[in-house]
Amino acid sequence: MDKNIAVQVDDLTVAYNYKPVLWDIDLEIPEGVLMAIVGPNGAGKSTLIKSILGILNPIAGSVSIYGKPYDEQRKLVAYVPQKGSVDWDFPTTALDVVMMGTYGSLGWIKRPRQKEKKAALEALEKVGMLSFKNRQISQLSGGQQQRIFLARALVQNASIYFMDEPFQGVDATTEIAIINILKELRKAGKTVIVVHHDLQTVPEYFDWVTFLNVKKIATGPVKDIFNDDNLTKTYGINYKVSIQE
Amino acid sequence: MDLQEYFSLVFTDYTLRTITLGTAILGAVCGMLGSFAVLRKQSLLGDAISHAALPGIAIAFLLTGAKESNTLLIGALISGLIGTFWIRGIITKTHLKSDTALGLILSLFFGFGMLLLTFIQKQPNANQAGLDKYLFGQAATLVESDVWFMAIITGICLLVLLLFWKEFKLLLFDADYTKTLGFNTKFIDILITSFIVLAIVLGLQTVGVVLMSAMLLAPAAAARQWTNSLGVMVVLASIFGAFSGVFGTAISASQNNLSTGPVIVIVAGVFVLISFVFSPSRGLLFRQIRFIKNRRDLELHKTLAFMYNIVENHDNISHPHAIKILNNFQGYTKSTLQKLVDRNYVTIEGNMWSLTETGFNTASNLYNQQNLNNE
């Protein structure tokens, strides 16, 4: 089983002020996996994807996407930020937010046209939000807002998706809807990397996992490495999780 | 001169026309850019920038000895920009938060500016008087060339806004995401901020250092109440700004000795007040009305639902029941029953009630809706 490496991280170190948040991370993410990044609060999970995406500047280390620097491969990558990172009272509609996913391929100054609108509508349909397209975004529920963010990333039609806690504060229905979309993405050969909090659902949702707590603890297939030993190493307490067969 | 006289003179009198046009253009450009400042939660940046411009005016005067507005405003522009970049620097390079940085730069620059102004006033130079007009502004000093200059800057600003509309909107909504799409967020940010600085400097002569930020924020805050579209908000803010300028000038010109800047700002404040109260979707008044109406509807619906529960157990939905049973239900009053009758949900015969078909269907839909909402 020789897979392409979608994302490669070498010696990545990130620090806020003097305190290291990520320490010397080496990570290889093979193409086509649905991977969870797990770890306690403050483990640097969000920081890791933000550094890979160039939102934060690491003090050392490098990142490559399919063997090339991120700057050259931007169009292969889509990002779903944490829902709480934006002001949902911003004066705009659901459709408009999803359209923003097309801005990257449009580049500077060029306006979105019919083709971009069509793509955005399709993405809205995929996440089951088509009937809300003209809704002011503050009038959407938390789960609906999360779906809008997902649709915005889908519009980018990328190969690699980074998602920061897409299941945070969403109801069970939305969670199932989202995970189905993620599984579809994997089926289509895309690589999906998700910052995840709920350890119970890791074996059910994901096939690949990375344990992170400032340092990388372990990374690999869920069935091989998702065990009490790694959980204890990551969370620092004697962690027992019952994995259902 | 009263207001009527003003409006009859405004098209013929050169001075009045100049001042009115100037304040209108200023209001429009400030409203336009103020929308961005408000949505970026940088409302106080405008205040800091305008105060930071004061020492620039004083230094420009000390260096050149000139009193014409263009020279002094270039000084204001430079020190305004320096203040802005210091604020940015403090926020990014130190642990201090943005409100601290803004407050620090605002008071430091303003203090230094006041110091220079008093120093200038003590100098044996006949040319010194009138610099303090930049504190509260004096629209009467506007001349035609000033207005042309304002119009040109506004035109450029509008052009840039249309050109980079997509990028501005993206940055305002989600800066991190903008970065991942490959846009240079620093460039967009500097572009917006520079235009805000420019608009502030344009307004110093008319509205003054102290009140300039209100010019930026008030029309935008008012406009936000009326719309959920960024485009409409920017246009509305410009219109509110322009009208504040015109009405402010009209009032101050018709009442002797009222300085224009403060009057314009108060007019803009009235726009804000009206918008806060009367906006249909976000205004206090309609929100209160909706709240009361919802509460009444809810009471009705609760009673109807209670009735539905009783009726559900019978084959015939119109099977009559004693009104007495309703007394067991907390929300029940005679008036709610009457309202249900008025809406043709319930019929009453003697001391018995029965649900109509409409009532039954409404009640069952009520349940479905609640279930949907709970999902």
Side-chain angles (χ1 to χ4, degrees):
Chain A
M1 196 174 85
D2 195 21
K3 274 186 166 175
N4 283 331
I5 300 300
V7 182
Q8 173 140 10
V9 177
D10 291 310
D11 307 325
L12 187 79
T13 299
V14 181
Y16 294 140
N17 307 320
Y18 302 105
K19 194 172 164 250
V21 186
L22 289 176
W23 188 253
D24 202 19
I25 306 284
D26 291 307
L27 188 61
E28 277 183 359
I29 304 171
E31 183 179 41
V33 298
L34 178 47
M35 184 180 96
I37 301 175
V38 298
N41 290 332
K45 303 184 294 292
S46 296
T47 308
L48 177 61
I49 49 178
K50 281 185 179 171
S51 311
I52 293 174
L53 292 166
I55 297 168
L56 294 173
N57 293 325
I59 52 173
S62 66
V63 172
S64 66
I65 307 287
Y66 284 113
K68 287 184 188 157
Y70 173 66
D71 277 344
E72 296 171 26
Q73 303 279 51
R74 253 177 228 288
K75 290 194 175 151
L76 298 179
V77 177
Y79 173 48
V80 179
Q82 273 186 31
K83 189 163 56 70
S85 65
V86 302
D87 174 14
W88 288 94
D89 196 37
F90 193 81
T92 191
T93 60
L95 177 62
D96 217 28
V97 172
V98 178
M99 295 270 271
M100 288 175 184
T102 66
Y103 288 6
S105 59
L106 281 169
W108 288 93
I109 295 172
K110 245 171 105 185
R111 291 293 177 89
R113 293 187 187 281
Q114 220 47 43
K115 186 181 132 214
E116 283 76 23
K117 193 176 170 188
K118 212 180 130 225
L121 289 173
E122 275 168 18
L124 272 172
E125 177 144 43
K126 234 179 260 176
V127 299
M129 290 288 295
L130 193 57
S131 52
F132 294 90
K133 64 178 187 226
N134 293 323
R135 205 52 97 76
Q136 148 72 19
I137 53 173
S138 66
Q139 285 159 12
L140 299 171
S141 72
Q144 291 170 333
Q145 290 172 343
Q146 191 65 60
R147 291 190 208 198
I148 292 298
F149 259 10
L150 188 61
R152 184 176 70 171
L154 291 178
V155 160
Q156 289 181 254
N157 202 10
S159 307
I160 307 172
Y161 290 82
F162 289 92
M163 308 191 179
D164 205 342
E165 302 203 19
F167 302 114
Q168 193 188 39
V170 306
D171 50 57
T173 327
T174 307
E175 180 155 336
I176 292 166
I178 292 176
I179 194 66
N180 285 338
I181 291 167
L182 301 194
K183 284 179 174 170
E184 253 172 57
L185 285 172
R186 177 181 54 187
K187 218 183 272 170
K190 318 273 189 185
T191 311
V192 184
I193 296 131
V194 178
V195 171
H196 194 57
H197 252 306
D198 183 7
L199 292 171
Q200 303 296 332
T201 53
V202 169
E204 187 190 336
Y205 291 172
F206 300 95
D207 58 7
W208 211 265
V209 64
T210 293
F211 290 96
L212 190 73
N213 191 355
V214 184
K215 291 176 184 177
K216 183 190 79 182
I217 312 293
T219 185
V222 170
K223 59 180 186 332
D224 297 342
I225 68 157
F226 193 72
N227 51 38
D228 291 347
D229 185 32
N230 279 327
L231 283 165
T232 308
K233 274 190 206 155
T234 309
Y235 288 86
I237 46 169
N238 200 4
Y239 208 99
K240 292 267 184 248
V241 67
S242 56
I243 299 172
Q244 288 144 2
E245 288 303 319
Chain B
M1 183 162 61
D2 58 18
L3 272 179
Q4 210 176 355
E5 203 181 336
Y6 165 83
F7 281 110
S8 62
L9 273 176
V10 74
F11 295 104
T12 49
D13 183 86
Y14 169 82
T15 318
L16 267 189
R17 194 179 58 205
T18 310
I19 297 171
T20 307
L21 259 179
T23 50
I25 293 173
L26 178 72
V29 71
C30 283
M32 200 152 72
L33 291 162
S35 304
F36 292 116
V38 167
L39 290 176
R40 290 205 76 187
K41 309 203 167 46
Q42 288 186 329
S43 304
L44 282 174
L45 184 66
D47 211 19
I49 295 170
S50 64
H51 283 75
L54 190 63
I57 293 170
I59 291 170
F61 174 78
L62 283 173
L63 289 179
T64 63
K67 244 175 69 176
E68 32 138 10
S69 57
N70 288 350
T71 318
L72 298 182
L73 288 184
I74 287 172
L77 182 66
I78 294 170
S79 78
L81 282 172
I82 292 174
T84 313
F85 289 109
W86 280 14
I87 290 167
R88 286 172 56 105
I90 291 174
I91 295 169
T92 51
K93 299 273 183 323
T94 72
H95 298 252
L96 295 175
K97 297 280 177 287
S98 66
D99 56 337
T100 317
L102 288 169
L104 204 64
I105 294 296
L106 182 151
S107 33
L108 269 179
F109 273 63
F110 187 64
F112 184 51
M114 289 304 287
L115 185 111
L116 289 175
L117 277 193
T118 42
F119 171 73
I120 288 167
Q121 256 146 24
K122 294 241 168 71
Q123 279 200 327
N125 180 345
N127 212 10
Q128 78 213 187
L131 275 193
D132 53 345
K133 78 177 184 209
Y134 286 98
L135 282 180
F136 292 106
Q138 203 173 354
T141 58
L142 283 176
V143 293
E144 203 180 311
S145 64
D146 294 332
V147 176
W148 273 113
F149 187 62
M150 278 183 187
I152 290 167
I153 298 285
T154 307
I156 296 172
C157 180
L158 195 64
L159 199 71
V160 170
L161 208 70
L162 288 175
L163 218 53
F164 294 102
W165 179 257
K166 173 178 107 235
E167 287 77 9
F168 283 172
K169 181 159 75 177
L170 192 59
L171 182 78
L172 287 178
F173 179 60
D174 194 343
D176 279 355
Y177 187 69
T178 311
K179 225 174 188 177
T180 67
L181 290 183
F183 292 101
N184 185 340
T185 49
K186 216 171 185 173
F187 171 76
I188 308 171
D189 187 25
I190 289 175
L191 203 62
I192 297 180
T193 314
S194 305
F195 272 101
I196 291 176
V197 176
L198 211 58
I200 286 169
V201 169
L202 278 183
L204 291 182
Q205 195 182 350
T206 318
V207 180
V209 162
V210 179
L211 291 175
M212 196 47 216
S213 69
M215 222 27 222
L216 212 57
L217 306 181
R224 179 67 189 93
Q225 293 296 104
W226 297 97
T227 175
N228 279 326
S229 145
L230 180 61
V232 178
M233 178 179 166
V234 171
V235 172
L236 265 185
S238 313
I239 293 172
F240 288 164
F243 273 103
S244 308
V246 173
F247 287 141
T249 312
I251 293 168
S252 92
S254 51
Q255 316 291 326
N256 263 341
N257 294 329
L258 277 187
S259 39
T260 327
V263 178
I264 292 176
V265 167
I266 286 172
V267 174
V270 171
F271 273 109
V272 174
L273 196 69
I274 293 172
S275 305
F276 278 175
V277 177
F278 294 106
S279 143
S281 62
R282 299 164 74 95
L284 296 174
L285 182 69
F286 287 94
R287 208 191 296 167
Q288 191 61 33
I289 291 173
R290 261 198 308 276
F291 176 73
I292 294 169
K293 189 181 168 297
N294 282 344
R295 205 167 49 181
R296 280 201 192 131
D297 281 355
L298 214 62
E299 268 167 19
L300 271 192
H301 288 164
K302 268 162 75 183
T303 312
L304 191 64
F306 181 73
M307 292 169 148
Y308 177 82
N309 272 342
I310 299 169
V311 170
E312 227 182 358
N313 299 327
H314 296 267
D315 292 336
N316 177 14
I317 55 163
S318 297
H319 183 85
H321 297 270
I323 290 178
K324 256 198 269 176
I325 346 176
L326 296 177
N327 289 338
N328 296 330
F329 180 61
Q330 245 187 344
Y332 165 74
T333 59
K334 270 200 175 128
S335 71
T336 47
L337 188 63
Q338 189 53 46
K339 270 183 206 147
L340 286 171
V341 173
D342 293 344
R343 292 194 184 187
N344 202 20
Y345 291 163
V346 173
T347 52
I348 299 183
E349 263 180 67
N351 52 5
M352 307 291 269
W353 60 266
S354 58
L355 274 187
T356 64
E357 206 167 321
T358 352
F360 186 81
N361 291 336
T362 313
S364 66
N365 280 336
L366 221 61
Y367 269 112
N368 286 338
Q369 243 171 26
Q370 264 171 1
N371 289 340
L372 276 179
N373 287 342
N374 285 342
E375 254 177 33

